[in-house]
């Protein structure tokens, strides 16, 4: 997942991925370019959508980084 990329590369993004991918936070919220959003292999699950609803500055191309593979 995108969260794995952040963790495995020691990227210092403060607070990113607080729940470690258990879809109980929205700290991994990312806003994608429309062309990148369209290329994702899977749509957001109901669980992801529920958590995205709590994300700050939600957009049409928002996703949770821990759910992007
Ligand atoms: Fe918490 Fe993605 S890391 S929802």
């Amino acid at each position: 997942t995108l969260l794995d990329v952040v963790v495995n590369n020691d990227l210092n993004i403060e607070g990113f991925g607080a729940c470690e991918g258990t879809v109980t936070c929205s700290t991994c919220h990312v806003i994608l370019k429309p062309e990148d959003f369209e290329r994702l292999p899977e749509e957001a699950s109901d669980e992801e959508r529920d958590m995205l609803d709590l994300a700050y500055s939600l957009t049409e191309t928002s996703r949770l980084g821990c759910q992007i593979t």
Side-chain angles (χ1 to χ4, degrees):
T1 67
L2 184 57
L3 175 60
D4 295 325
V5 173
V6 171
V7 170
N8 293 341
N9 290 284
D10 288 328
L11 302 180
N12 187 15
I13 305 174
E14 189 170 335
F16 191 90
C19 78
E20 301 179 348
T22 59
V23 198
T24 55
C25 74
S26 57
T27 61
C28 64
H29 174 212
V30 294
I31 299 172
L32 303 169
K33 293 180 189 172
E35 58 268 33
D36 294 330
F37 183 86
E38 293 301 322
R39 278 196 297 220
L40 295 178
E42 296 177 7
E43 293 184 5
S45 65
D46 290 343
E47 183 180 28
E48 181 181 353
R49 283 195 189 98
D50 287 347
M51 197 51 60
L52 275 170
D53 284 341
L54 304 176
Y56 180 72
S57 297
L58 185 67
T59 74
E60 293 286 318
T61 60
S62 287
R63 290 293 303 266
L64 294 179
C66 69
Q67 301 302 300
I68 297 174
T69 56

